[in-house]
Amino acid sequence: MLSTEDNELLTRVGPGTPMGRLLRSYWHPVGLAEEFAGEWDTKPVRVLGEDLVLFRATSGQYGLMQEACPHRGVSLRYGYPEASGIRCAYHGWLLGLDGTCREQPFEPVPFTHKVRVTSYPVRELGGLLFAYLGDPERQPGLPHWDILVRDDGRRHFEFQDDLRCNWLQVQENAVDVTHTFYLHAEMF
């Protein structure tokens, strides 16, 4: 049984937390490339305690950034992907894939150089979209696991709806033989 302090230490994954810093040193799957085959290519995602929007720019590149537009807090899930980023549907601010503000239509004196949003790199591999949320100076290479790069088979991915628990409960449950036997015995 964990103490309250140890539980907090191990299960809090937001920015600036010890476990959040650790988990941000790895690439995480955040979506499927096939989800972005339409014209309106945005999807809200929650990753490591952050509300983000995943999108495919019209250039074909993927972006991941904070969901709230810095101007009025409108959700960028309703934004319009463009070649270099995403445009907020509310007042048209264009936010680049790198998080910089590129345009501020209708501002009498634009101040794009003062505006930046949290954004993360996204890479596609084997039909999965991976994001790196850690320190850009320490970004590791995206692991090329055989299941993602082999061409002599078929891949099938399924994303599960958000689980209303923390990451450690999922891991603990995966190795709990009693739980597997008791609850999932019918499957075997």
Side-chain angles (χ1 to χ4, degrees):
M1 186 88 167
L2 290 176
S3 68
T4 301
E5 296 77 22
D6 286 344
N7 187 59
E8 291 291 316
L9 174 72
L10 292 172
T11 61
R12 300 295 176 218
V13 295
T17 64
M19 194 54 67
R21 282 191 297 275
L22 173 66
L23 291 175
R24 280 172 173 73
S25 59
Y26 301 96
W27 288 88
H28 293 272
V30 294
L32 299 170
E34 69 185 31
E35 293 177 293
F36 295 91
E39 290 183 29
W40 197 285
D41 294 332
T42 65
K43 176 186 175 184
V45 295
R46 184 161 175 82
V47 183
L48 297 177
E50 293 186 62
D51 292 318
L52 307 167
V53 64
L54 178 64
F55 64 95
R56 184 174 58 88
T58 58
S59 63
Q61 292 178 283
Y62 293 95
L64 181 68
M65 66 179 56
Q66 69 184 47
E67 184 182 2
C69 176
H71 184 219
R72 294 288 175 96
V74 173
S75 174
L76 291 171
R77 76 182 289 183
Y78 303 112
Y80 302 98
E82 294 191 4
S84 63
I86 191 166
R87 190 174 295 277
C88 179
Y90 198 65
H91 282 115
W93 284 21
L94 177 62
L95 303 167
L97 291 166
D98 62 356
T100 59
C101 186
R102 305 280 173 90
E103 293 178 15
Q104 295 171 323
F106 308 110
E107 290 295 333
V109 180
F111 49 97
T112 55
H113 63 285
K114 293 182 178 182
V115 179
R116 184 172 188 82
V117 297
T118 302
S119 67
Y120 302 106
V122 178
R123 304 284 180 268
E124 179 182 356
L125 182 63
L128 287 175
L129 300 176
F130 289 87
Y132 178 73
L133 283 70
D135 179 357
E137 301 294 321
R138 303 182 75 176
Q139 180 178 321
L142 180 59
H144 283 68
W145 296 308
D146 61 349
I147 195 166
L148 297 176
V149 296
R150 288 181 63 159
D151 292 329
D152 60 345
R154 236 176 27 173
R155 288 185 200 95
H156 176 75
F157 297 111
E158 292 182 18
F159 262 58
Q160 187 171 350
D161 288 337
D162 287 343
L163 297 173
R164 298 292 181 204
C165 62
N166 65 57
W167 75 276
L168 187 59
Q169 288 169 313
V170 174
Q171 299 308 313
E172 178 184 45
N173 195 47
V175 297
D176 184 346
V177 179
T178 304
H179 161 80
T180 303
F181 176 79
Y182 184 76
L183 187 61
H184 304 289
E186 296 292 320
M187 297 171 68
F188 300 116

